[in-house]
Amino acid sequence: MSVEAPRILPGRVVRSPRGRVALRVERRPFVVGCLLVVLVVLLAIVGIATGDYPLSPREVVETLLGGGDPSSAFIVETLRLPRVVCALLVGGALGLAGAIFQSITRNPLGSPEIVGFTWGSAAGAVLVITVIGSSTGAAVSGGAVLGGVLSAVLVVGLAWRHGIQGYRLVLVGIGIGLVTRAFTEYLLTRARVEDAAQAAVWIAGSLNGRGWEQVRPLALALVVLVPLALTLGRTLRALELGDDAARALGARVDSGRLALIGVAVALTAVATAAAGPIAFVALAAPQVARRITRGSGPGLLPSLLMGALLLEASDCAAQRVWPAQQLPVGIVTGAIGGIYLAWLLASEWRGRRSG
Amino acid sequence: MTEADGGATPAEGGSDAPARLSGSGLRLAYDDRLVVDGLDVAIPDGSFTVVVGPNACGKSTLLRALSRMLKPRGGSVLLDGADIRSQPAKAVARRLGLLPQSPTAPDAITVADLVGRGRYPHQKLLRQWSPDDERAVSEALAATATTDLAERAVDELSGGQRQRVWLAMVLAQETPLLLLDEPTTFLDVAHQIEVLDLCADLRERHGRTLVAVLHDLNHACRYATHLIAMRDGRIVAEGDPSEIVDAALVERVFGLACRVVPDPETGTPLVVPAARRSRVG
């Protein structure tokens, strides 16, 4: 393994002895990525340590490494760890899906909740809760995945014209999103009060009471989806140059983009199935990551880490700032994200006017 | 003068080997609109071939078919003797490069990063940067005189600089064949000449075969070693511009009355449109 500096491009090239593996790593995104990992770990420890029965960070680390007394082991492993892991996985999946969608649509607003897939998932889950009357986690999650995938098929099908164009995807997606949202609200008005209340909590997006039964299927899905997304990242970089240039470089434009959309939809669907439609993480994480890394590419890994960090931070805030209320985390991300979105639009608009 | 009826043999170069890039029986259409019907063309190896013709004559459509951006309804494009659409996309991209008409640079991308992306067809998932990539990128920057811009953001550059950078990206692809779709559109005249000089250099010094669609007939006559004049989806004439361009051809292709005089700088044909008075008369 050797590290050398290319003369023209920034960064370092990490090369295996016979040159079979050679990856170029840019310095700033690398440093930012490492910092994000450290912050995520620290925040996770804080998340596990605090609560009605506080633990010291040392106790948390000891327990995680297999030591500690039985009571703290119960608190960490059964009560708090699954919630924290769930937040990290959901946030990471949403950040990654958002980065893919924003790159494909060439639009900072082209994230899954704006393009309507999240509302498709919500419609599916609410349908299960209110009409079928089932409130078991597996049934609701299944409904969410199915709803998300169906709405994605509908959006891509309607937006398809000689391949997929970003702005058509966004516009058709907004339309389908409004329809599925209206359908969801119709279901709520027809539902029994108890079902409607339960559905409303689900729609806000919450990590309350998330256990290993939510984490396990999510983790399994991500083990497949994340490497797939990172592999397709090269196609995404080529697609950024426009369809003609990408095709001329030998990238598979239509099938590549379809595969990327499929992966991003799957990421959104499994995340939504685990925690409900959590707002704004997919929208904000890639934008924040891009500004911090100052990278030009889609920045998939930084977006994933940033998503995990944002959601875990929001969940800590939701639990600690108003401990009595058990605030759904989706409300916190929605509030933070709304402010961020307003700032983003205002600054971009101003930049464009002055530029 | 070579009238385009056979079209299967290169018009120049003296080689009997078939051209590396050719099309036969091409039927090209957008949706229901047939633009080209039954066209044969061969790009002479080592030439700077320029395609000219009036708007909507099918010249850009032909270039899109030759660069596999457009799937022909009939006929086929042959690259090194095999149908271009049956060959692996990356294998084609290592031999045939294209500068599209309006490529888009991602926000905030630097010149070096953009040019580096031209190496895509030479890279693998786990081998993303090799000494060859390094050399190709620095040569492409040097050939287009953009080495000093390497660290700059592409969106800060002037139109002429940006076009040179995009050319550098296509050069970094290191393909023996280079297709350029209206590379001088939107550039002022000095930058147009700069880009065309660069193209001529690429052919003369680096031995590349170039095909470009150009609007300016006089630029085409000066720089092309092989001119293809199209009208209504057919090739009206092709060959060395000095041999084929005369007033009759310009009238036939563009419907423009003109005189053709020798270019005082190069001796190539210079098309001077007739004054309004004489056209009316």
Side-chain angles (χ1 to χ4, degrees):
Chain A
M1 198 69 93
S2 71
V3 178
E4 51 201 90
R7 276 170 301 134
I8 299 164
L9 283 162
R12 296 280 184 277
V13 177
V14 181
R15 198 188 303 278
S16 68
R18 292 165 71 192
R20 294 279 292 276
V21 178
L23 300 175
R24 189 166 63 86
V25 182
E26 283 185 49
R27 189 164 160 211
R28 194 176 165 100
F30 179 73
V31 172
V32 169
C34 292
L35 275 176
L36 285 174
V37 170
V38 171
L39 281 174
V40 164
V41 170
L42 288 180
L43 208 58
I45 292 175
V46 171
I48 295 170
T50 53
D52 292 338
Y53 183 87
L55 299 167
S56 74
R58 227 186 101 194
E59 280 176 303
V60 172
V61 174
E62 270 176 16
T63 313
L64 287 177
L65 295 177
D69 57 88
S71 69
S72 52
F74 173 76
I75 290 172
V76 170
E77 279 157 23
T78 310
L79 297 181
R80 294 185 190 161
L81 185 59
R83 181 185 184 130
V84 168
V85 173
C86 195
L88 296 180
L89 295 183
V90 167
L94 290 176
L96 184 55
I100 294 174
F101 271 119
Q102 290 177 8
S103 175
I104 282 180
T105 58
R106 301 173 176 285
N107 192 328
L109 292 179
S111 75
E113 66 258 41
I114 307 259
V115 182
F117 302 151
T118 317
W119 275 102
S121 288
V126 171
L127 194 69
V128 170
I129 295 173
T130 61
V131 175
I132 302 174
S134 169
S135 57
T136 62
V140 176
S141 298
V145 170
L146 213 62
V149 170
L150 274 181
S151 67
V153 168
L154 202 61
V155 169
V156 172
L158 288 174
W160 187 277
R161 188 173 177 279
H162 305 303
I164 300 161
Q165 281 158 325
Y167 76 97
R168 281 180 67 89
L169 197 70
V170 173
L171 292 179
V172 172
I174 290 174
I176 296 295
L178 288 173
V179 172
T180 46
R181 185 172 187 159
F183 176 65
T184 309
E185 278 159 9
Y186 167 77
L187 288 176
L188 288 178
T189 59
R190 298 292 304 257
R192 289 189 308 141
V193 177
E194 307 87 83
D195 287 347
Q198 197 199 344
V201 171
W202 192 87
I203 285 177
S206 173
L207 292 163
N208 291 341
R210 292 302 184 272
W212 292 114
E213 66 274 19
Q214 276 88 23
V215 170
R216 233 171 270 123
L218 178 60
L220 272 178
L222 294 191
V223 164
V224 178
L225 292 173
V226 171
L228 204 57
L230 297 181
T231 310
L232 287 165
R234 293 182 66 234
T235 307
L236 199 55
R237 278 168 68 84
L239 285 172
E240 283 186 331
L241 305 176
D243 285 12
D244 282 357
R247 200 169 278 133
L249 286 174
R252 290 193 192 86
V253 171
D254 290 323
S255 60
R257 186 152 33 210
L258 213 53
L260 280 159
I261 290 178
V263 169
V265 166
L267 284 167
T268 312
V270 294
T272 308
I278 288 182
F280 285 110
V281 174
L283 183 74
Q287 293 294 321
V288 177
R290 173 175 288 216
R291 277 167 179 72
I292 296 181
T293 57
R294 293 195 204 137
S296 59
L300 296 182
L301 263 183
S303 302
L304 179 146
L305 293 170
M306 186 58 77
L309 184 71
L310 275 180
L311 191 57
E312 176 55 22
S314 300
D315 192 42
C316 279
Q319 288 182 82
R320 312 296 168 240
V321 181
W322 300 276
Q325 305 216 353
Q326 284 293 313
L327 206 61
V329 67
I331 291 178
V332 177
T333 57
I336 297 174
I339 295 166
Y340 167 74
L341 182 64
W343 172 81
L344 176 74
L345 291 177
S347 66
E348 300 257 304
W349 193 57
R350 214 169 289 143
R352 202 159 297 161
R353 271 168 52 107
S354 67
Chain B
M1 175 162 171
T2 313
E3 283 287 342
D5 37 18
T9 49
E12 57 167 18
S15 157
D16 290 335
R20 294 193 69 176
L21 182 64
S22 63
S24 65
L26 289 176
R27 251 172 92 87
L28 308 175
Y30 293 111
D31 293 327
D32 298 331
R33 195 165 54 87
L34 197 63
V35 180
V36 168
D37 192 4
L39 180 138
D40 296 311
V41 64
I43 305 301
D45 291 345
S47 69
F48 183 176
T49 296
V50 175
V51 188
V52 293
N55 291 337
C57 70
K59 55 190 190 300
S60 275
T61 309
L62 173 61
L63 197 83
R64 290 184 66 77
L66 289 177
S67 57
R68 80 200 144 119
M69 295 295 120
L70 182 71
K71 186 181 173 189
R73 292 285 167 84
S76 57
V77 172
L78 299 180
L79 175 64
D80 294 328
D83 190 332
I84 199 168
R85 302 197 72 87
S86 70
Q87 303 182 45
K90 275 188 164 184
V92 172
R94 289 193 286 268
R95 283 173 285 154
L96 179 86
L98 168 75
L99 179 65
Q101 214 174 87
S102 44
T104 41
D107 289 342
I109 193 171
T110 63
V111 169
D113 195 352
L114 182 66
V115 176
R117 292 195 189 191
R119 297 300 295 167
Y120 179 88
H122 300 272
Q123 293 167 340
K124 296 198 176 75
L125 180 62
L126 292 176
R127 211 193 56 218
Q128 299 184 355
W129 201 249
S130 69
D132 269 348
D133 296 331
E134 184 76 33
R135 180 192 46 72
V137 170
S138 58
E139 284 176 11
L141 289 169
T144 52
T146 49
T147 308
D148 294 339
L149 305 176
E151 314 269 306
R152 298 264 300 273
V154 173
D155 43 22
E156 295 172 357
L157 304 179
S158 73
Q161 287 172 326
R162 207 173 301 161
Q163 192 67 329
R164 290 211 315 260
V165 167
W166 277 105
L167 256 174
M169 192 211 74
V170 181
L171 288 183
Q173 211 174 323
E174 297 206 300
T175 58
L177 288 150
L178 255 175
L179 273 49
L180 314 160
D181 197 356
E182 300 195 13
T184 55
T185 310
F186 306 122
L187 298 181
D188 64 40
V189 65
H191 286 125
Q192 289 181 22
I193 295 297
E194 193 179 278
V195 166
L196 290 168
D197 281 343
L198 174 58
C199 292
D201 259 7
L202 289 173
R203 185 187 82 83
E204 285 161 17
R205 286 210 226 136
H206 303 267
R208 316 249 183 146
T209 303
L210 288 91
V211 186
V213 168
L214 291 182
H215 268 305
D216 190 312
L217 197 50
N218 289 328
H219 287 169
C221 288
R222 183 183 271 204
Y223 285 94
T225 64
H226 185 78
L227 189 73
I228 296 179
M230 288 183 68
R231 183 182 177 127
D232 300 331
R234 287 181 305 108
I235 294 178
V236 178
E238 64 176 316
D240 186 326
S242 301
E243 290 169 18
I244 63 168
V245 175
D246 54 25
L249 180 74
V250 178
E251 171 77 51
R252 200 141 57 96
V253 172
F254 289 93
L256 176 73
C258 69
R259 281 200 293 162
V260 174
V261 297
D263 185 324
E265 282 287 318
T266 56
T268 52
L270 184 68
V271 176
V272 183
R276 200 154 67 95
R277 187 161 27 86
S278 59
R279 267 186 286 151
V280 173

